[in-house]
């Protein structure tokens, strides 16, 4: 009796699956057996890089493998994030996603190379940090009220820095401009580190940046801190009031950071990494390292992180539409 082609091939396919399955299972059970790459989508020295390197060190210690931080900045963090999305889903390429790259970018770019929801397997949040409004000490404004008055008296003459077009540092300042009626000129830089240098050297006068990169400069009075963007004051700078308590109720600007893998990364690997990151976030030394940089250590489940990203994409999409921010 003649058998069709599918009947002839089927036994060979089943044999191939049986032969390959132990290798696949073994590859996951002995994970990781080589160094892991962590893509940080911003230049070295900025807030994301500071947190990323602390996470890399702690995760390396727990996994027993090197975690190599690769800084790939540009285009508000979308270049490095796109590279991470297109990497092999084998657990050996991770990225530190942020509010900027995962929530703001989808609404700010009409031709984004990745999908924040579909292109990644979320693993866990690692930190949340307030945004800190600072000015160069040479600027006469000593409070938010004085800054608003000064900016309104000379529309467009004051410059504010950001970590790049479409970054949350731009969006935070645009949100503040919107509620206060200030008009300033946006000067984008290639990452937080460059933006910090610009305001320290008085190339620009104002920056609403994430706390880790600005905290020590504010404590040393190299920059004047006027307000924090979170709903409550930061323990790192308890004397600095919130924007909300200064007359703009409901205002909130904060940065979250979390570890993600490319979509399709095997669940056992995601679960292993989540277990380690949750454990790291609970350790006193990691909490202390985050506190030192003005950030709050945190963690959650892959499912909770995925839900957060979906909600944040919707939230910031509405904000970028209202403010008319389009970057391509």
């Amino acid at each position: 009796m003649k058998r069709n082609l599918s009947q002839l091939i089927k036994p060979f396919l089943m044999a191939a699956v049986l032969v390959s399955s132990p290798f696949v299972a073994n590859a996951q059970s002995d994970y990781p057996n080589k160094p892991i790459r962590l893509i940080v989508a911003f230049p070295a020295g900025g807030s994301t890089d500071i947190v990323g390197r602390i996470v890399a060190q702690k995760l390396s210690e727990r996994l027993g493998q090197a975690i190599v931080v690769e800084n790939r900045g540009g285009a508000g963090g979308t270049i490095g994030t796109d590279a991470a999305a297109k990497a092999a889903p084998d657990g050996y390429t991770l990225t530190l996603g942020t509010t900027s790259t995962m929530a703001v970018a989808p609404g700010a770019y009409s031709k984004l190379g990745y999908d924040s929801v579909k292109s990644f397997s979320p693993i866990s949040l690692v930190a949340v940090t307030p945004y800190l409004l600072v000015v160069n000490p040479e600027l006469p404004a000593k409070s938010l009220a004085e800054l608003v008055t000064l900016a309104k008296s000379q529309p467009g003459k004051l410059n504010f820095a950001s970590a790049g077009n479409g970054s949350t540092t731009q969006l935070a300042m645009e949100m503040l401009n919107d509620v206060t009626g200030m008009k300033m000129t946006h000067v984008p830089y290639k990452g937080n580190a460059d933006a910090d240098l610009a305001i320290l050297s008085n190339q620009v006068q104002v920056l609403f940046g994430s706390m880790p990169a600005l905290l020590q400069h504010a404590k040393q009075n190299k920059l004047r801190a006027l307000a924090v963007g979170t709903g409550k004051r930061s323990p790192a700078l308890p004397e600095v009031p919130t924007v909300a308590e200064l007359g703009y109720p409901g205002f909130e600007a904060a940065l979250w950071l979390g570890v993600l893998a490319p979509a399709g990364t095997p669940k056992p690997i995601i679960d292993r990494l989540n277990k380690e990151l949750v454990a790291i976030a609970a350790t006193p030394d990691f909490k202390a390292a985050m506190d030192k940089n003005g950030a709050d250590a945190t963690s959650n489940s892959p499912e909770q992180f995925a839900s957060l990203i979906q909600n944040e994409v919707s939230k910031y999409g509405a904000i970028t539409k209202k403010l008319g921010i389009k970057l391509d």
Side-chain angles (χ1 to χ4, degrees), residues 45-298:
S47 297
T48 306
D49 181 65
I50 290 170
V51 173
R53 289 181 184 277
I54 295 171
V55 170
Q57 178 188 345
K58 299 301 181 184
L59 189 57
S60 174
E61 291 169 0
R62 293 190 67 89
L63 293 176
Q65 282 289 346
I67 310 288
V68 181
V69 174
E70 181 180 320
N71 295 97
R72 298 189 68 170
T78 61
I79 292 175
T81 306
D82 184 50
K86 292 176 170 56
D90 56 6
Y92 290 97
T93 296
L94 308 174
T95 189
L96 191 65
T98 69
T99 313
S100 178
T101 58
M102 304 303 296
V104 176
Y109 292 86
S110 60
K111 297 178 181 179
L112 199 61
Y114 59 89
D115 185 302
S116 295
V117 175
K118 297 178 181 179
S119 301
F120 295 94
S121 294
I123 300 171
S124 177
L125 281 177
V126 292
V128 176
T129 175
Y131 272 85
L132 182 66
L133 178 66
V134 295
V135 297
N136 185 279
E138 292 188 25
L139 197 72
K142 291 181 171 57
S143 67
L144 176 57
E146 290 184 8
L147 176 64
V148 172
T149 300
L150 181 62
K152 285 184 174 181
S153 70
Q154 40 186 324
K157 290 189 177 180
L158 294 184
N159 297 326
F160 76 90
S162 81
N165 286 316
S167 66
T168 40
T169 45
Q170 179 197 3
L171 195 63
M173 195 67 234
E174 297 285 12
M175 289 164 60
L176 187 62
N177 285 339
D178 183 55
V179 299
T180 61
M182 294 188 293
K183 291 184 179 179
M184 299 185 191
T185 299
H186 175 219
V187 183
Y189 288 87
K190 294 181 179 179
N192 287 303
D194 288 347
D196 298 345
L197 289 173
I199 190 169
L200 285 166
S201 61
N202 204 26
Q203 295 176 38
V204 295
Q205 295 79 48
V206 185
L207 173 62
F208 208 171
S210 54
M211 185 81 80
L214 299 174
L215 181 59
Q216 296 308 314
H217 298 311
K219 285 186 172 182
Q220 295 166 10
N221 296 317
K222 293 179 180 178
L223 295 173
R224 183 183 300 128
L226 303 184
V228 293
T230 40
K232 60 181 181 179
R233 295 192 182 197
S234 170
L237 289 173
E239 72 281 5
V240 179
T242 69
V243 172
E245 71 182 272
L246 291 174
Y248 305 96
F251 184 92
E252 187 159 356
L255 176 75
W256 51 256
L257 306 98
V259 179
L260 306 100
T265 300
K267 190 175 185 300
I269 291 177
I270 297 297
D271 290 343
R272 169 75 191 282
L273 291 169
N274 175 263
K275 177 183 176 182
E276 302 299 350
L277 289 171
V278 169
I280 288 169
T283 60
D285 58 338
F286 184 75
K287 289 181 178 180
M290 292 297 102
D291 287 344
K292 180 181 177 181
N293 287 288
D296 295 323
T298 189

Side-chain angles (χ1 to χ4, degrees), residues 14-30:
M14 291 179 65
V17 169
L18 290 171
V19 170
S20 64
S21 294
F23 291 100
V24 174
N26 184 61
Q28 294 176 18
S29 64
D30 69 352

